[in-house]
Amino acid sequence: MKLKEIDKGRYRRHLNKVFIGSALALAVLSLGIAQLLIAFFPNAAGSHFHWNLLGVVFGALLVGAGLSRLRQHPFMTEVVYVWELKQRLNKIARKRRKVEAAAEQGNETAMQVLQFCYAGSRQLWQLDDNTIVMDELTVKQTELNNLADTHGVILDAGVYDENMLKQF
């Protein structure tokens, strides 16, 4: 995955619409499916918990399938990009200790992975207005830059490939 610039305003507008649309669709589908199940299979005791739960499960599956089909639509470009970026950063986070240890030993691949992680995190936090931890990220980036200078590595977030994580 390559980092790319996206319009923050467009991303926020589209994310809000996708979120609100998904929530409304889930509510309508859950209630509709549950009511149909209750109508076809009434319970004399009056407990319809399992039908309501099944309505929510089926509603969630339908909303998920709908989002999956709409994934390639131009409206979803920014939203899907951020979802995928979050997935990549989570994969790196799971191996972060090993990656950081390897970077300290001078492993160039580890340094490139951390560069992507820091650049991606910075972009993600700016898009979500989560700037509270930016100072901490700046310190980590400075440490990585110093480490790269020490080992003669030129950092470039663009060289990151998910396969790089396999060695850690």
Side-chain angles (χ1 to χ4, degrees):
M1 171 179 206
K2 304 294 181 208
L3 295 176
K4 61 182 181 181
E5 289 298 316
I6 61 173
D7 180 16
K8 181 178 177 176
R10 178 178 156 99
Y11 161 69
R12 297 296 291 176
R13 283 190 309 276
H14 289 201
L15 178 64
N16 288 339
K17 288 178 182 176
V18 168
F19 181 75
I20 290 169
S22 297
L24 289 174
L26 179 61
V28 169
L29 287 170
S30 298
L31 289 173
I33 293 169
Q35 289 303 311
L36 283 173
L37 289 171
I38 291 168
F40 286 120
F41 307 107
N43 185 346
S47 174
H48 303 293
F49 173 76
H50 56 287
W51 297 132
N52 289 327
L53 179 62
L54 204 53
V56 171
V57 170
F58 282 140
L61 289 173
L62 290 172
V63 168
L67 286 173
S68 179
R69 292 198 73 202
L70 292 173
R71 200 176 170 90
Q72 301 304 321
H73 193 279
F75 183 85
M76 297 286 287
T77 302
E78 293 83 6
V79 175
V80 170
Y81 169 77
V82 171
W83 284 345
E84 289 176 353
L85 178 59
K86 287 180 180 182
Q87 289 174 351
R88 299 307 186 283
L89 293 175
N90 279 333
K91 285 181 181 180
I92 294 170
R94 283 185 234 130
K95 296 188 175 199
R96 181 175 226 128
R97 285 188 195 153
K98 290 180 181 178
V99 172
E100 287 175 344
E104 289 291 328
Q105 299 300 317
N107 184 311
E108 181 178 350
T109 302
M111 289 185 220
Q112 299 295 358
V113 168
L114 288 175
Q115 178 65 21
F116 176 83
C117 180
Y118 296 160
S121 295
R122 183 177 301 105
Q123 181 182 34
L124 185 62
W125 294 342
Q126 288 171 343
L127 287 171
D128 289 339
D129 291 327
N130 182 10
T131 57
I132 294 172
V133 289
M134 281 295 202
D135 293 336
E136 183 179 324
L137 182 63
T138 303
V139 169
K140 291 229 181 235
Q141 183 68 60
T142 302
E143 290 172 359
L144 180 61
N145 291 343
N146 293 338
L147 188 62
D149 288 343
T150 301
H151 294 283
V153 175
I154 297 171
L155 298 174
D156 180 12
V159 301
Y160 173 76
D161 183 75
E162 198 170 337
N163 293 322
M164 292 174 143
L165 288 175
K166 290 181 181 176
Q167 65 179 295
F168 303 105

